Amino acid sequence: MRIGVTCYPTVGGSGTVATELGLEIARRGHEVHFICYALPYRLGRVPPGVTFHEVTIPNYPLFSYPPYSLALASQMADAVRTHGIELLHVHYAIPHAISAYLAREILGGGPKLIVTLHGTDITVVGADPSFLPIVRLGIERADAVTAVSRSLAQETHELLGITREVEVIPNFVDPARCDADFAAAHRRRLSPDGAPLLVHASNFRPVKRILDVLEIFRRVNERLPAHLAMVGDGPERPVAERFVRDAGIAHRVEFLGNVSPVEGVMGAGDVFLLPSSEESFGLAALEAMACGVPVVASDAGGIPEVVENGNGGYTFPVGDTAAMAACVLGLLADPDELARQRALARAHAAANFSTAKVVDRYEALYRRLLGC
Ligand code: GMT
């Protein structure tokens, strides 16, 4: 099969999933073309079977807002025509779904279209009146639509009034990315005194409730001196840095920025925190579990589909930092239970979210649409 993939190339769950999926599809002998405005961060050295098409936008002074969606549509159409791409798989509906639809219109038919919904493309941005009609059209005209959780599929129907089928294919993780030696080295540096280490990783957007992460840690650290590693970057970082200074915990919290591979730091932790207000899936929680790190999270959106209570993690109502802190303290106070939860986390991730199993489902969908 010849597959075109479009995603955000920046650090983030949708780009990670799109890139790892494309790479695995290429490993299975298919031809994969990434059509993006930059090389996806996870692509690294472009392997055989994979081609990167850079979308460029002419810089004309009239354009206060460069029309990226249109340039993307033209580039998609060109790549399809030149390379005989049979199927365009776009990740994150805005603007990729409508660009793919336009590309097919330019070509007068041709490639099959799959839109994979990742989260805020429906729940936050997609439901905004400025995007809703165009997102709805992109979704309705695709040949198949997938969502990363049942929760997101349901929100797509409810918030956008979409009635068509949305197939649920969860995100996946490769436990081989968890390198125990690398994680141990991170741990020695992040917790030189051997105190417990909590970890959070995100894009520091408001939906991640970064202040809840810090409040959970503050409560834990009050009872049991610990360390917190904050991985990632984003708009809430200055507020977070002020919080730790004001709370007098700056010496126990390290802001690491974006690190690669992220699993190195995640695997170093005792517990991973994800108290988000919106989360269609929570890929970071899955990555932590795959590395044997139990998760304490909110029960927002699709998180309970990934983090099952007592099976390598626990969920609580959004904002209940007291309960989340008590849960972390309970785990840290009981090394046997912590070890049990570590093993359960690893087993749950491997059994239900392995790359092989989930990519099989995408490959089957491709074959179904292409009739091969
Ligand atoms: O939607 C976003 O804010 C960004 C997006 C991303 O590109 O990282 O995250 C969403 O997609 C991830 C991959 O499917 C999911 O793991 C995240 O839960 C989801 N984020 C939200 O729903 C807030």
Side-chain angles (χ1 to χ4, degrees), residues 12-14 92 118-120 148 171 205 207 278-283:
S14 61
Y92 204 92
H118 279 272
T120 53
V148 297
N171 290 332
R205 298 214 190 113
V207 291
E278 296 270 353
E279 204 71 71
S280 67
F281 185 88
L283 183 65

Side-chain angles (χ1 to χ4, degrees), residues 38-366:
L39 192 70
Y41 85 101
R42 272 281 180 110
L43 208 47
R45 288 192 324 201
V46 179
V50 174
T51 307
F52 170 58
H53 304 257
E54 185 177 349
V55 180
T56 53
I57 314 171
N59 190 5
Y60 188 64
L62 188 62
F63 298 155
S64 303
Y65 303 99
Y68 171 68
S69 324
L70 305 184
L72 174 60
S74 301
Q75 182 78 56
M76 282 171 160
D78 184 60
V80 167
R81 209 184 278 119
T82 312
H83 297 274
I85 292 171
E86 300 156 288
L87 187 153
L88 287 171
H89 186 175
V90 303
H91 293 258
Y92 204 92
I94 307 168
H96 306 147
I98 205 66
S99 298
Y101 166 68
L102 285 176
R104 194 172 56 185
E105 288 294 299
I106 292 168
L107 294 160
K112 298 288 182 191
L113 306 184
I114 301 180
V115 178
T116 290
L117 307 171
H118 279 272
T120 53
D121 47 352
I122 297 300
T123 57
V124 180
V125 206
D128 188 283
S130 53
F131 289 117
L132 195 143
I134 207 85
V135 174
R136 195 186 278 144
L137 181 66
I139 289 175
E140 275 167 355
R141 296 298 160 91
D143 295 292
V145 179
T146 74
V148 297
S149 63
R150 294 191 298 279
S151 154
L152 182 58
Q154 189 179 335
E155 294 208 80
T156 305
H157 290 128
E158 287 171 5
L159 294 174
L160 269 63
I162 301 274
T163 51
R164 68 168 300 161
E165 190 202 349
V166 176
E167 184 175 346
V168 176
I169 303 185
N171 290 332
F172 54 91
V173 72
D174 177 8
R177 288 183 61 88
C178 305
D179 177 335
D181 294 338
F182 196 53
H186 270 295
R187 186 175 177 103
R188 281 194 295 278
R189 211 193 65 70
L190 292 165
S191 175
D193 56 3
L197 175 65
L198 310 190
V199 179
H200 169 78
S202 75
N203 50 24
F204 288 40
R205 298 214 190 113
V207 291
K208 302 294 175 180
R209 292 182 72 101
I210 297 299
L211 295 186
D212 280 8
V213 175
L214 301 174
E215 178 57 17
I216 296 164
F217 175 73
R218 193 192 63 74
R219 286 170 183 266
V220 170
N221 187 56
E222 220 169 51
R223 303 274 299 279
L224 178 69
H227 298 276
L228 173 65
M230 297 287 285
V231 181
D233 212 338
E236 299 287 284
R237 182 164 168 179
V239 184
E241 290 182 329
R242 198 164 53 243
F243 180 101
V244 300
R245 279 197 304 274
D246 295 349
I249 52 172
H251 61 297
R252 311 294 294 182
V253 180
E254 190 149 349
F255 289 87
L256 295 165
N258 290 317
V259 297
S260 180
V262 71
E263 294 88 345
V265 178
M266 283 179 171
D270 292 298
V271 178
F272 184 81
L273 302 175
L274 193 68
S276 314
S277 59
E278 296 270 353
E279 204 71 71
S280 67
F281 185 88
L283 183 65
L286 176 61
E287 288 168 333
M289 287 194 289
C291 295
V293 179
V295 172
V296 172
S298 70
D299 59 5
I303 294 180
E305 295 172 44
V306 183
V307 181
E308 296 175 357
N309 276 313
N311 192 16
Y314 295 89
T315 59
F316 296 90
V318 174
D320 195 347
T321 53
M324 294 186 212
C327 178
V328 173
L329 280 165
L331 281 170
L332 296 178
D334 185 345
D336 289 344
E337 180 57 14
L338 182 59
R340 203 174 76 86
Q341 290 301 328
R342 277 184 177 284
L344 286 171
R346 204 177 270 119
H348 175 58
N352 299 296
F353 302 99
S354 73
T355 302
K357 241 187 204 169
V358 177
V359 175
D360 276 356
R361 294 194 52 197
Y362 278 114
E363 195 180 3
L365 174 60
Y366 293 174

